[in-house]
Amino acid sequence: MYKALSLTVANWLSTLGSVGHFLSDVARSLRDVRIWTGLTVEQMRRIGVDSVPIALFISAFTGIVLSMQASYTLTGAVPLYFVGTAVGKGLLLELGPVLTGLVLAGRVGANIAAELGTMKVTEQVDALETLAYDPHSYLVVPRVIAASVMFPIVVAMASALGIVTGWLTAVNMLELSTFEFFKGIKMFYQDKDIWYGLVKSISFGFVIALVGCGMGLSVRGGAEGVGRATTKAVVYGSAMILVLDAVWAVTVL
Amino acid sequence: MISFKDVKKRFDSNVVLDGFSLDVHDGETMVILGYSGTGKSVALKHIVGLLEPDSGQVEVDEQIVHMLDRDGLTQLRSNVGYVFQSSALFDSMTVTENLKLGLKRQRLSDAEIRDRVAASLALVDMEGTEDRFPAELSGGMRKRVGIARAIALHPRYILYDEPTTGLDPVTSAVINQLMIRTREKLGVTGIVVTHDLESAYMVGDRIAMLYHGRIRQVGPVEEIRRTHDPVVRQFLDGRPEAAAEADSGMFRAFR
Ligand SMILES: Nc1ncnc2c1ncn2[C@@H]1O[C@H](COP(=O)(O)OP(=O)(O)O)[C@@H](O)[C@H]1O
Ligand SMILES: [Mg+2]
């Protein structure tokens, strides 16, 4: 029992150690600007542009649901134009970034972990090193930067579409006029609504890519290892988004 | 010169190298023989700093590999071509891009890079595959491209990890010829890790046998072929009791 406990603690410490090691390697490889700049553009396309359809799909439906639910919750209690407030704030502050983040933790995080994991088990990562490339600057940095840059853009598009579908729902189903809907949106609007959501998205992109890369590069033992790393990337990536979200809420809101 | 000095390496409780010492002289081709899973690849990876020894050291041109800083290691790696067992071609890149990648790290003009790529592909008889992706090539062709990628760097040393394993006899012979040709044309020092005896006799100047984490015997090819050392003899003759012995060695390592 005691032995098992100390083993667990030792495992935790060694995991913590390798995470720290990984982070410092990544930070150090930022120096190789010439290597990662070109690759980052390609990753921005793969991580960002290719994620747009799924993000829009999700937010379109979120906008509809938010609108209906707000009207249901608010009926009788407060003026109906608060539906606009609920849709706007709900999407910008929370649902836009978090739902997009969770979906992309699946899509982008899994993709990165599987790709780097496969490269690892087929010795392509070793090959990179022997060709005098640091895998951190060649593989990790471009993905992390691309995700950090593209996530807020994808989230902004998603939130915007969600507001549009929320508005269309309000106008067509709730007997709310366009004027009233946007009055509701504007009424409690602060600039913080925008930048809070975007900063949050940057942090989500950063974490998802970093976790995906870390899991991919630490794969051992063939296809099975790649599968395990992919699952872990999704699970840990999603968990970290929820934790980060709470941290942002407590510290900034 | 590449020299292993009393290298010890273990992964958790799995002791892989246990007092491994070996000198590889400039200009020679050293063959390292050994059963599967005895640590041949692990030994090679120490030369380019992909792995670090727990104790002891590997020296390349009198430099201690694990003491080198980042730039020193980059410098060393540009002198060593590494041909991986699985070829390890980048599957998102064409053959040409695979060869160019390492060259871009050296101070070469675009024209020089193009010439090197063409010359290296010619040396391995792979002209015409420039724009193909690794997935479109056979195992033997991938091996050849892997060799071309290594020699394109004009390295002083070239490390082959099981270059003929998993290939049919004819393709193996082609790869053997290629290793000999590479050495004649470029004068590189080579280390060939293998358990293919025919290949070992053909390309090697000296043969070293890795057994239980250290070198059991090393000597010129003819001397090794006539050896009376029972362990080496068993391996060369391929007698089944040797396999049993090797297995027990492996299980011991895991216990
Ligand atoms: N990165 C690693 N982590 C843990 N164990 C490893 C690693 N690389 C090799 N090993 C173990 O070291 C032993 C020797 O492996 P290897 O050098 O690949 O053998 P071979 O002689 O067939 O090339 C094997 O038991 C293998 O499982
Ligand atoms: Mg091997």
Side-chain angles (χ1 to χ4, degrees), chain B residues 17 42 45 95 104 152 155 157 159 163 185 212 253:
Chain B
L17 298 181
V42 167
K45 285 182 176 167
V95 167
K104 284 192 202 143
Y157 302 99
L159 315 177
K185 289 245 164 109
H212 285 188

Side-chain angles (χ1 to χ4, degrees), chain A residues 31-32 123-124 132-134, chain B residues 70 77 86 91 101 105:
Chain A
R31 282 194 320 192
D32 301 331
E123 296 184 301
Q124 291 177 57
Y133 286 89
D134 180 343
Chain B
R70 215 158 166 258
R77 285 170 175 170
S86 55
D91 40 34
L101 193 67
R105 292 291 273 164

Side-chain angles (χ1 to χ4, degrees), chain A residues 7-251:
Chain A
L7 253 173
T8 315
V9 171
N11 270 339
W12 262 95
L13 286 179
S14 100
T15 305
L16 218 62
S18 45
V19 169
H21 207 86
F22 173 67
L23 291 180
S24 79
D25 281 344
V26 174
R28 211 177 32 180
S29 69
L30 280 170
R31 282 194 320 192
D32 301 331
V33 179
R34 272 203 314 210
I35 291 180
W36 57 255
T37 37
L39 297 161
T40 303
V41 177
E42 162 69 9
Q43 290 303 324
M44 282 164 82
R45 186 186 63 70
R46 285 183 50 190
I47 292 175
V49 180
D50 295 356
S51 297
V52 170
I54 178 91
L56 292 183
F57 179 81
I58 303 242
S59 64
F61 287 94
T62 310
I64 297 171
V65 173
L66 266 183
S67 197
M68 294 306 292
Q69 220 168 48
S71 98
Y72 169 80
T73 312
L74 300 175
T75 304
V78 283
L80 202 56
Y81 60 75
F82 273 102
V83 167
T85 315
V87 170
K89 293 251 174 190
L91 275 163
L92 291 175
L93 291 176
E94 182 63 20
L95 291 173
V98 172
L99 284 183
T100 310
L102 288 175
V103 171
L104 296 196
R107 193 190 165 278
V108 174
N111 194 306
I112 291 177
E115 185 185 9
L116 300 204
T118 305
M119 289 185 72
K120 174 84 193 221
V121 299
T122 55
E123 296 184 301
Q124 291 177 57
V125 175
D126 283 344
L128 259 187
E129 281 199 67
T130 60
L131 294 176
Y133 286 89
D134 180 343
H136 300 97
S137 34
Y138 194 88
L139 298 172
V140 178
V141 173
R143 285 167 174 77
V144 173
I145 292 185
S148 308
V149 172
M150 296 310 282
F151 263 47
I153 298 175
V154 175
V155 167
M157 292 166 75
S159 299
L161 180 67
I163 290 174
V164 169
T165 58
W167 159 63
L168 290 175
T169 310
V171 172
N172 290 307
M173 317 269 302
L174 301 175
E175 292 153 18
L176 196 67
S177 73
T178 300
F179 173 78
E180 279 179 307
F181 183 84
F182 283 101
K183 175 176 158 194
I185 285 198
K186 274 186 254 170
M187 186 136 42
F188 293 96
Y189 170 80
Q190 305 171 23
D191 287 343
K192 193 177 176 181
D193 296 356
I194 301 277
W195 68 252
Y196 175 77
L198 295 185
V199 168
K200 229 158 66 160
S201 315
I202 295 174
S203 72
F204 293 170
F206 180 83
V207 161
I208 288 173
L210 201 62
V211 170
C213 290
M215 290 301 158
L217 288 183
S218 58
V219 165
R220 283 219 194 112
E224 198 195 334
V226 176
R228 236 177 296 133
T230 307
T231 311
K232 275 193 199 163
V234 177
V235 172
Y236 293 156
S238 311
M240 291 200 50
I241 282 181
L242 297 176
V243 172
L244 260 180
D245 191 39
V247 171
W248 282 116
V250 170
T251 55

